Amino acid sequence: MGVVADAALEAGGSVHGVITESLHQRGQSHAGLTRHEIVETLRSRKERMVELSDAFIALPGGIGTIEELMEVWTMNQLSEIDKPVGLLNSAGFFDAFLGFIDHMVETRFLPAAHRHSISVDTDASALIDKLRSYTRVEVPKWL
């Protein structure tokens, strides 16, 4: 996240960070951000990020990245939000994950249309273009 924030700032952009109090106390805050918000819990951090965001892009990361990705994707599926979700699949990082999602479709735990409600690309500009043309998937959740 710091590398992305630094690149945005270097390009003249503004960066709004939301961090939990415990992470801030451990020195994990990025000192150069345009705006900082410190919140009590991880739950409130995610709620605030959803509120602030127009779209979501997951970059290669760990379990927190996957958990946040799945939460916003599920919120879209359940019509709690209507915001595009994308994966920047650098160096094929998400290939195995996408295979698992395809397995969910094959075993009828996920409608095929929902598989394609998440945008995927290896190129950041192409992914942003896909997110800009996002349209809500309107199929029943249940098969």
Side-chain angles (χ1 to χ4, degrees):
M1 289 184 283
V3 171
V4 173
D6 289 341
L9 292 166
E10 287 174 22
S14 62
V15 179
H16 183 150
V18 182
I19 191 168
T20 62
E21 177 68 32
S22 65
L23 287 175
H24 175 69
Q25 291 299 325
R26 287 188 253 165
Q28 298 298 312
S29 294
H30 187 299
L33 300 184
T34 311
R35 181 164 180 214
H36 293 111
E37 277 187 59
I38 301 170
V39 297
E40 192 67 26
T41 64
L42 182 59
R43 168 66 41 211
S44 57
R45 175 182 179 267
K46 293 189 301 182
E47 287 172 356
R48 184 66 177 135
M49 291 189 308
V50 167
E51 183 180 300
L52 290 168
S53 299
D54 295 321
F56 306 92
I57 298 175
L59 284 73
I63 60 173
T65 299
I66 296 300
E67 188 273 334
E68 290 171 351
L69 164 74
M70 296 304 288
E71 183 167 347
V72 294
W73 192 20
T74 301
M75 290 171 76
N76 265 342
Q77 185 186 46
L78 297 175
S79 300
E80 291 184 17
I81 62 172
D82 185 14
K83 299 180 179 188
V85 177
L87 292 175
L88 185 60
N89 194 20
S90 301
F93 182 86
F94 289 108
D95 287 350
F97 176 74
L98 292 166
F100 176 65
I101 300 301
D102 290 337
H103 181 67
M104 284 188 225
V105 172
E106 292 164 10
T107 55
R108 300 183 47 82
F109 283 97
L110 180 71
H114 283 294
R115 161 60 174 89
H116 299 290
S117 68
I118 189 166
S119 299
V120 181
D121 211 292
T122 58
D123 178 76
S125 295
L127 179 58
I128 290 170
D129 288 342
K130 288 177 179 180
L131 295 176
R132 284 188 177 124
S133 63
Y134 162 81
T135 55
R136 166 173 283 298
V137 171
E138 296 289 346
V139 297
K141 179 186 182 311
W142 306 110
L143 297 173

